[in-house]
């Protein structure tokens, strides 16, 4: 979604929306594969009047078109706790994604760091607009304040889907990555230069997408995937038609071969219509 389907101000353009609806009308399965939680992904889709199946939290959870949980692949609690400790030791802020929502220990930091990152990545967008989108995350209950993450690790009702770490300090991020490499059973990726996404090895977009298309009787060779960053690699490597966004990292463009326009230019809609018209 971010950097692909959505603009910097978290909108689905009219062109993207119409292309998705046209594809569905022609019998094409359209699924969102995102690092976002179901709650955050649904919030944006509903604003555009779209109902789509979703691969959420990088593949840790799969939801049907009506929002039912189809499957989940949580982190082992012991591994999640070790990963959290490494992030704390590295001085990196992080949030915890679970089957019962997303949590932060620091509400102010949750807003501040998102504004810093989005404004750095999108200098052309007024900072007031970015701040408004970041604050909306809190106000709409998309992220919840918790006193200590230990509550999530100790309570059996919570499945830990992902740890999402942010920092504008490259040295801190590298230190965190080095520490995480020592923990078995983790998939470590990123959806931007300023973050680290930590999930189970079974919770990757490519793994979840492969299962999804198989359940629909579709082959991966008949599947197109669009992405812009490194948490999309496992998906882009599997499909018959990988397409990079115009704003994608150079490594992603080289992996795909085919490049559409940027997220601000309705690159998703352009790529969908090109396939439908061929």
């Amino acid at each position: 979604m971010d950097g692909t389907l959505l603009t910097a101000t978290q909108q689905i353009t009219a062109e993207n929306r119409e292309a998705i609806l046209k594809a569905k009308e022609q019998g094409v399965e359209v699924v969102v594969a995102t690092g976002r939680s179901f709650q955050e992904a649904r919030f944006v889709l509903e604003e555009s009047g779209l109902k789509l199946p979703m691969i959420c939290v990088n593949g840790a959870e799969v939801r049907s078109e009506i929002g039912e949980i189809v499957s989940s692949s949580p982190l082992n609690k012991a591994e999640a706790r070790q990963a959290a400790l490494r992030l704390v030791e590295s001085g990196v802020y992080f949030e915890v994604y679970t089957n019962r929502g997303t949590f932060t220990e620091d509400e102010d930091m949750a807003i501040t760091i998102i504004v810093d990152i989005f404004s750095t990545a999108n200098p052309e967008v007024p900072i007031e607009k970015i701040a408004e989108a970041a604050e909306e995350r809190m106000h709409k209950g998309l992220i919840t304040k918790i006193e200590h993450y230990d509550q999530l690790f100790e309570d059996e009702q919570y499945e830990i889907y992902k740890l999402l770490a942010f920092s504008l300090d490259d040295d801190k991020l590298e230190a965190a990555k080095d520490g995480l490499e020592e923990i078995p059973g983790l998939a470590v990726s990123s959806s931007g230069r300023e973050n680290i996404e930590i999930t189970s090895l079974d919770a990757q977009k490519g793994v979840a997408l492969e299962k999804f298309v198989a359940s629909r009787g579709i082959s991966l060779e008949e599947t197109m995937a669009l992405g812009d960053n490194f948490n999309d690699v496992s998906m882009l490597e599997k499909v018959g038609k990988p397409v990079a966004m115009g704003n994608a990292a150079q490594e992603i463009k080289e992996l795909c071969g085919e490049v559409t326009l940027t997220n601000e230019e309705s690159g998703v809609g352009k790529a969908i219509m090109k396939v439908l018209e061929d």
Side-chain angles (χ1 to χ4, degrees):
M1 298 188 80
D2 296 284
T4 302
L5 181 62
L6 305 182
T7 64
T9 53
Q10 311 295 286
Q11 302 296 311
I12 297 174
T13 67
E15 187 173 350
N16 281 348
R17 179 181 183 276
E18 291 308 312
I20 288 170
L21 292 175
K22 185 173 286 290
K24 290 185 68 178
E25 287 172 5
Q26 295 188 24
V28 176
E29 286 275 4
V30 181
V31 57
V32 169
T34 179
R36 290 183 175 220
S37 68
F38 169 70
Q39 290 78 11
E40 287 192 270
R42 180 184 62 180
F43 161 65
V44 181
L45 290 177
E46 286 181 349
E47 283 191 333
S48 291
L50 292 172
K51 284 189 176 181
L52 303 171
M54 285 184 269
I55 293 169
C56 306
V57 206
N58 282 351
E61 183 181 78
V62 178
R63 297 262 188 164
S64 70
E65 190 170 289
I66 60 173
E68 294 177 335
I69 297 176
V70 176
S71 64
S72 66
S73 300
L75 279 158
N76 172 282
K77 286 284 186 80
E79 291 164 359
R81 190 188 290 271
Q82 287 182 60
L85 180 60
R86 295 292 187 278
L87 295 173
V88 171
E89 290 172 344
S90 302
V92 175
Y93 166 79
F94 67 99
E95 298 167 359
V96 179
Y97 285 59
T98 78
N99 59 322
R100 293 176 173 267
T102 305
F103 296 86
T104 181
E105 291 179 340
D106 189 334
E107 184 173 316
D108 291 336
M109 183 63 78
I111 295 172
T112 300
I113 201 157
I114 292 298
V115 172
D116 285 347
I117 288 169
F118 270 78
S119 59
T120 300
N122 304 278
E124 74 284 357
V125 179
I127 195 164
E128 296 81 9
K129 287 280 189 184
I130 294 172
E132 184 180 321
E135 290 175 7
E136 192 169 40
R137 238 181 132 219
M138 303 297 303
H139 298 156
K140 295 207 171 182
L142 300 177
I143 183 167
T144 303
K145 171 74 167 61
I146 194 169
E147 287 305 310
H148 202 286
Y149 290 141
D150 280 348
Q151 296 170 241
L152 307 176
F153 300 138
E154 293 168 1
D155 192 331
E156 291 185 2
Q157 70 177 312
Y158 293 101
E159 290 187 342
I160 308 299
Y161 284 164
K162 180 175 77 170
L163 306 185
L164 177 60
F166 297 99
S167 180
L168 291 172
D169 187 323
D170 291 342
D171 291 337
K172 286 184 177 181
L173 280 180
E174 283 305 314
K177 287 178 184 176
D178 290 344
L180 292 167
E181 286 178 0
E182 300 171 4
I183 305 170
L186 302 181
V188 181
S189 63
S190 68
S191 55
R193 186 178 60 81
E194 309 86 356
N195 72 39
I196 305 172
E197 304 201 2
I198 304 149
T199 60
S200 162
L201 284 173
D202 293 327
Q204 298 184 67
K205 290 184 181 181
V207 175
L209 181 63
E210 186 170 14
K211 292 177 181 176
F212 180 89
V213 299
S215 72
R216 298 295 202 273
I218 302 167
S219 74
L220 283 167
E221 190 59 34
E222 299 174 286
T223 303
M224 176 175 75
L226 297 105
D228 73 304
N229 228 303
F230 296 100
N231 64 335
D232 299 316
V233 168
S234 65
M235 173 177 68
L236 295 169
E237 287 181 333
K238 287 180 179 287
V239 299
K241 189 176 181 63
V243 179
M245 298 300 295
N247 51 288
Q250 185 58 35
E251 295 93 328
I252 304 301
K253 292 179 179 178
E254 291 171 0
L255 169 66
C256 294
E258 183 172 339
V259 181
T260 185
L261 296 181
T262 71
N263 59 320
E264 299 294 332
E265 301 169 302
S266 303
V268 168
K270 293 282 198 308
I272 290 174
M273 292 307 300
K274 182 179 177 183
V275 168
L276 295 181
E277 290 167 359
D278 281 350

